[in-house]
Amino acid sequence: MPKAKILSNILPLGKAWLGLFFLLSLFAFCLPAPSLRERAGGEAAFSSSNIPDSIWLLMQGKSVPKTCTVSRNELRYLKVLHYGKDGKVHQGELICNKAIAQDLLEIFRELYKAKYKIERISLIDNYGADDTRSMEANNTSCFNFRFMTGSTTRISKHGMGLAIDINPLYNPYVKGNKIDPPSGARYAKNRDKRKDIPMKIDRNDLCYKLFIKHGFKWGGAWKSSKDYQHFEK
């Protein structure tokens, strides 16, 4: 068969395949990107890594002041999924000590599966490393370097990244007349009998049970004060 005849038979077929490939590519391009819910469980949704340069830069002068004695290598950057107060899935991020990174990932995975509501999980640096501002926004956070009150050598549990505060507005710190955050005062008293407190942490709460299972201590069990939001290891 002449070469010209062969080419004339092949060219239409090639054009047909090219057209089909174009249509399939266009269809794939138009598909919606996977939602956070669809990506749940993947490394992008729940992950622990060394602190990226951009995040470390953000932390300088905030959660990492000049007096910070905790090294970057001792800390980890976590990304987790959680259900917000609005019932929607959100991506959260926090800094913690590497010693509890795996614990937190496992706990947040279980909370996510149970659709447990955590209003927000954002770096405390987004609040200028101001604990009160972060708590007033009901922000869940972990690492924020500081020494214990009255000391210049003893680092607090938050200062080491070994403590985390969950839904702090509704689970405030209480000692006598001192309540932190101040706007959490209406959630501070008679908690055992009340059922009107949203996101309340008590001994029947899933969050409490998971943290205790992983060896954490709960501030709500303290004697001289109560820190209902607080878990430490």
Side-chain angles (χ1 to χ4, degrees), residues 120-169:
R120 57 176 54 87
I121 307 176
S122 179
L123 297 179
I124 199 165
D125 307 279
N126 294 325
Y127 299 89
D130 185 315
D131 284 316
T132 299
R133 280 183 58 200
S134 178
M135 289 188 288
E136 292 282 3
N138 201 29
N139 180 53
T140 291
S141 66
C142 185
F143 172 76
N144 191 15
F145 184 83
R146 58 179 174 267
F147 294 108
M148 296 181 70
T149 303
S151 175
T152 57
T153 57
R154 296 174 61 198
I155 306 171
S156 72
K157 289 288 186 177
H158 278 292
M160 292 185 285
L162 292 172
I164 186 168
D165 293 337
I166 307 288
N167 287 327
L169 176 62

Side-chain angles (χ1 to χ4, degrees), residues 4-226:
K5 184 68 173 178
I6 294 173
L7 288 173
S8 65
N9 289 335
I10 292 176
L11 285 174
L13 183 62
K15 290 179 180 179
W17 278 109
L18 185 62
L20 180 61
F21 176 77
F22 175 78
L23 289 174
L24 289 173
S25 299
L26 184 63
F27 176 74
F29 179 78
C30 293
L31 287 174
S35 65
L36 285 176
R37 187 194 301 268
E38 291 168 336
R39 289 189 280 114
E43 285 306 306
F46 293 90
S47 65
S48 171
S49 67
N50 293 326
I51 301 175
D53 291 341
S54 59
I55 300 297
W56 185 247
L57 182 62
L58 173 68
M59 296 165 65
Q60 300 310 300
K62 297 175 184 175
S63 64
V64 180
K66 291 182 179 180
T67 55
C68 183
T69 57
V70 176
S71 71
R72 182 176 180 177
N73 290 334
E74 294 177 76
L75 303 171
R76 292 293 180 267
Y77 172 66
L78 268 56
K79 294 179 72 175
V80 299
L81 288 183
H82 66 99
Y83 281 85
K85 188 178 180 180
D86 56 6
K88 298 179 181 179
V89 178
H90 299 271
Q91 182 84 64
E93 57 181 354
L94 68 157
I95 303 295
C96 71
N97 193 290
K98 65 181 180 182
I100 65 169
Q102 189 58 38
D103 286 315
L104 293 185
L105 284 181
E106 292 175 10
I107 290 169
F108 280 114
R109 279 195 183 100
E110 290 302 312
L111 292 175
Y112 174 78
K113 289 177 184 177
K115 297 185 178 181
Y116 186 95
K117 290 184 178 180
I118 300 176
E119 186 160 0
R120 57 176 54 87
I121 307 176
S122 179
L123 297 179
I124 199 165
D125 307 279
N126 294 325
Y127 299 89
D130 185 315
D131 284 316
T132 299
R133 280 183 58 200
S134 178
M135 289 188 288
E136 292 282 3
N138 201 29
N139 180 53
T140 291
S141 66
C142 185
F143 172 76
N144 191 15
F145 184 83
R146 58 179 174 267
F147 294 108
M148 296 181 70
T149 303
S151 175
T152 57
T153 57
R154 296 174 61 198
I155 306 171
S156 72
K157 289 288 186 177
H158 278 292
M160 292 185 285
L162 292 172
I164 186 168
D165 293 337
I166 307 288
N167 287 327
L169 176 62
Y170 302 116
N171 300 283
Y173 169 84
V174 183
K175 185 173 184 178
N177 293 323
K178 177 178 173 58
I179 298 174
D180 209 8
S183 59
R186 58 188 181 276
Y187 309 113
K189 304 297 182 181
N190 303 314
R191 288 177 62 90
D192 291 341
K193 301 177 181 179
R194 293 175 60 182
K195 297 182 179 180
D196 63 326
I197 300 175
M199 307 181 196
K200 183 177 79 168
I201 297 175
D202 58 22
R203 287 181 172 83
N204 296 315
D205 183 62
L206 176 62
C207 185
Y208 166 85
K209 292 177 180 179
L210 289 173
F211 273 98
I212 297 303
K213 179 181 177 181
H214 282 261
F216 286 77
K217 295 179 180 179
W218 181 44
W222 294 349
K223 300 298 182 183
S224 61
S225 62
K226 299 292 183 183

